[in-house]
Amino acid sequence: MRRLGSTRRRGRNGRLVAAGVACGAALAALTVPAAEAGPLGRGTVHWAPKNPGTPQVRFRGLAAVDRRTAWLAGTSGTVLRTTDGGVSWRNVSPPGAADLQFRDVEAFDARRAVVLAIGEGEASRVYRTEDGGATWTESFRNTDPKAFYDCLAFFDRRHGLAMSDPVDGRFRILSTNDGGRSWRVLPAAGMPPALDGEAGFAASGQCLVTSGPKDVWLATGGGAHARVLHSADRGLTWTAADTPVPAGDPAKGVFALAFRDRAHGLAVGGDYRPDQASPQAAAVTADGGRTWTPAATPPPAYRSGAAWLPHSRTAALAVGPTGTDLTTDAGRTWRTIDTGSYDTVDCTPDLSRWAAGEQGRVARLER
């Protein structure tokens, strides 16, 4: 943790209808009344462990490609990949990275992925693979001792950003236009000043998220207000908005964002200290992050990751060390559906839902 997107037309429409039907069935399974349900809705729907055999590793980076392929990034320089739905995992960690802390991974498919290591100075690095992790190229190494990179996100296979905690009073943004092969620091002129003590949280790889070809949001904490910054031009210019998520302490703020389109988004967080309560630790926006409304019934505790359910306009998951919560009204109310510990969650268009966290925990939502 921080210092811690004719015949051909009929075929496409058919696939969309099938996806909608499948999504409806999955959502129904998750949302039956608690009195009729198991810990994840119907008793036949549950987090199914996909044990990678690495209990010593905490996985805060997760990139699910589809129901068969997923990438994990974690402590001790660990990167794992599965291509059989989690039945088996291959250790594809970059050589010589054992001292690094990988906190984010973005995968384009089963062969191409980018991972971010966090930390002060040269501990912040980016690696890229094009052969499923058989070989890696270090494409960025931070040389500024004042920078500390937290998250990265991609708009498409070519364009992506990484964010650092404030340097000289402003968040620093790193940009790539070649799929992570090379990076450059963007000018700071379009970034509003940071608040005193403000920073990002490298808790789930979701403090920087994108939607569509140009929109990106950045989550903060540690300052007097927990804020969300938004850019509509791939990080060149930004606006900042306060959220109702508690702040005012280095352990408090927005830890994760999830946007289902350029207007509708979720923010979750709270206070990561296990002995501290986290009231009002979720908020929603319907105007692209210009304004945020507190959840009427938030998750009961700190949450570090969030993701919209595939093909749904109203359902999303939030995860944290004390459980998983579900919303079926676009973030206005949440209810706990599982008490297992997970740090991050990701969903894919083919209706797979993955989660990962401490003690090597990895799971997929299954019947």
Side-chain angles (χ1 to χ4, degrees):
M1 188 174 304
R2 158 70 175 93
R3 305 200 233 266
L4 240 172
S6 115
T7 303
R8 177 178 296 176
R9 178 171 296 176
R10 286 197 298 271
R12 178 178 182 273
N13 289 342
R15 289 192 296 273
L16 290 175
V17 169
V21 171
C23 178
L27 183 57
L30 282 167
T31 57
V32 295
E36 305 171 19
L40 273 169
R42 256 185 240 284
T44 56
V45 180
H46 61 285
W47 283 121
K50 304 295 179 181
N51 183 15
T54 53
Q56 75 282 6
V57 178
R58 188 165 195 164
F59 294 112
R60 295 188 186 271
L62 167 65
V65 177
D66 52 40
R67 66 180 57 252
R68 296 186 59 81
T69 302
W71 297 70
L72 299 169
T75 53
S76 302
T78 306
V79 180
L80 305 184
R81 185 192 64 147
T82 183
T83 56
D84 56 13
V87 175
S88 63
W89 295 86
R90 180 183 175 193
N91 188 328
V92 295
S93 305
D99 293 334
L100 300 179
Q101 304 297 311
F102 288 125
R103 295 293 181 91
D104 202 355
V105 55
E106 300 291 327
F108 307 115
D109 49 42
R111 296 184 61 79
R112 291 176 290 178
V114 178
V115 296
L116 171 73
I118 68 157
E120 296 178 347
E122 293 191 4
S124 285
R125 305 178 194 181
V126 178
Y127 291 81
R128 187 182 191 278
T129 183
E130 298 183 5
D131 54 14
T135 62
W136 293 87
T137 300
E138 182 184 304
S139 59
F140 171 76
R141 182 180 296 203
N142 174 50
T143 58
D144 189 332
K146 295 178 290 184
F148 185 116
Y149 285 85
D150 299 296
C151 291
L152 77 164
F154 277 79
F155 303 93
D156 52 44
R157 291 174 180 265
R158 293 176 52 211
H159 301 93
L161 301 176
M163 60 152 288
S164 164
D165 289 340
V167 176
D168 299 327
R170 299 174 192 270
F171 284 93
R172 175 168 289 181
I173 303 297
L174 200 63
S175 175
T176 180
N177 60 10
D178 56 12
R181 295 178 181 86
S182 63
W183 299 82
R184 68 184 181 95
V185 175
L186 293 182
M191 177 68 70
L195 304 177
D196 288 344
E198 191 175 27
F201 292 97
S204 61
Q206 296 174 322
C207 59
L208 185 73
V209 300
T210 64
S211 180
K214 293 186 178 181
D215 285 278
V216 57
W217 294 265
L218 183 162
T220 83
H225 304 281
R227 303 197 297 173
V228 173
L229 281 63
H230 171 238
S231 171
D233 54 12
R234 291 187 186 150
L236 293 176
T237 60
W238 298 78
T239 57
D242 291 348
T243 76
V245 175
D249 184 279
K252 296 180 180 179
V254 176
F255 282 70
L257 299 168
F259 276 79
R260 66 172 171 82
D261 54 39
R262 67 190 309 265
H264 299 88
L266 309 169
V268 300
D271 189 324
Y272 71 74
R273 294 171 294 191
D275 60 341
Q276 298 296 313
S278 288
Q280 297 180 332
V284 299
T285 181
D287 57 13
R290 289 190 294 274
T291 61
W292 291 86
T293 303
T297 305
Y302 156 71
R303 296 294 181 251
S304 56
W308 291 89
L309 266 64
H311 310 294
S312 175
R313 297 174 60 86
T314 58
L317 296 170
V319 299
T322 62
T324 299
D325 303 295
L326 170 73
T327 178
T328 57
D329 55 14
R332 288 183 287 277
T333 63
W334 297 83
R335 67 179 179 90
T336 302
I337 57 175
D338 185 77
T339 57
S341 175
Y342 295 101
D343 293 314
T344 186
V345 60
D346 198 14
C347 300
T348 67
D350 68 348
L351 305 178
S352 69
R353 294 153 293 243
W354 296 77
E358 62 181 338
Q359 298 179 345
R361 290 170 60 91
V362 185
R364 198 181 68 184
L365 202 63
E366 295 182 354
R367 293 184 179 281

